[in-house]
Amino acid sequence: MDHSDFYLKKLYNFLFNEGVGFYNETNECMDYITLSSGKFLGPFDISDSPLCIIVKGGIAKFELRGSEYQCTDLCLKKEVAFDNAILNGGGDRKIKLVASEETEVKMISLAKLRDLIEKHKVESTYLALLNQFWTAREEKRNNLLYIKPGSKRNQVFKSCNPDLVQHFPKKTIAKYLNLHPSSYSRIEGDF
């Protein structure tokens, strides 16, 4: 069962309902950024990757290993797009966000967020929710990748995520489904 939406709502509500003081200070420290299609944020090192909430639009999230970006997630409105907790392997990994359409992002640095969490003594709750959210998202994709053949995987993905299909380029969806772009095109009947 996919619980990622459930944990996302809990995390989002937590960030903005933990109390007037925490909310006001967090909101004051958040920057609004507008990205046109194809524009990006980052890449960010693990230590300074901000927490991003998508206000409008869509984001394809990529992970940087060396010089190659690999798609690891697809995010839409009001998704916590990335955070260093997803990079729990360390090393020299970096991430960046690429807009799939005109997108508005609300962003706060992790350093500032950590300061506010410590000040308002809500660290254990926040970390528990964040861990549950990312675990659920990872399980969601892994369960999808177990489906064989690729045509069936694509069918399940489209039926469960019609909004993602509309927002993201085909090559991005192909990467997310772990399919070669030409294989995905054949499945979609483009050839």
Side-chain angles (χ1 to χ4, degrees), residues 22-178:
F22 182 83
Y23 171 80
N24 286 342
E25 287 191 67
T26 303
N27 211 40
E28 286 173 10
C29 295
M30 296 194 93
D31 296 320
Y32 284 88
I33 296 175
T34 300
L35 300 172
S36 56
S37 179
K39 297 300 182 183
F40 58 87
L41 291 170
F44 296 98
D45 289 314
I46 294 172
S47 59
D48 64 2
S49 59
L51 181 116
C52 294
I53 295 168
I54 299 166
V55 178
K56 183 185 81 173
I59 289 286
K61 182 174 78 86
F62 291 77
E63 180 179 357
L64 175 66
R65 292 179 185 236
S67 60
E68 292 185 15
Y69 286 99
Q70 296 186 355
C71 180
T72 56
D73 204 358
L74 302 178
C75 304
L76 286 176
K77 185 177 178 180
K78 289 192 177 178
E79 295 256 5
V80 178
F82 65 86
D83 178 287
N84 69 346
I86 197 62
L87 299 173
N88 54 5
D92 59 354
R93 296 200 286 180
K94 297 180 182 180
I95 48 180
K96 82 172 183 178
L97 292 183
V98 181
S100 60
E101 60 177 339
E102 185 163 321
T103 301
E104 294 175 10
V105 178
K106 196 174 183 181
M107 187 167 73
I108 184 171
S109 73
L110 280 187
K112 187 59 182 177
L113 185 59
R114 279 194 292 266
D115 290 343
L116 292 174
I117 285 170
E118 183 177 342
K119 177 181 176 181
H120 292 268
K121 305 189 187 309
V122 295
E123 182 176 13
S124 59
T125 305
Y126 170 74
L127 291 177
L129 287 173
L130 190 66
N131 183 61
Q132 290 170 329
F133 168 65
W134 283 118
T135 299
R137 287 194 67 83
E138 188 174 2
E139 287 176 352
K140 178 179 181 180
R141 183 170 186 240
N142 287 343
N143 290 339
L144 183 66
L145 295 181
Y146 282 128
I147 299 173
K148 309 291 182 184
S151 56
K152 177 67 173 175
R153 188 184 317 150
N154 183 49
Q155 184 181 7
V156 171
F157 173 77
K158 287 172 69 175
S159 65
C160 297
N161 304 280
D163 50 351
L164 293 181
V165 174
Q166 293 173 11
H167 280 77
F168 290 92
K170 290 183 177 181
K171 64 179 182 180
T172 302
I173 296 175
K175 276 192 173 184
Y176 184 75
L177 296 174
N178 200 27

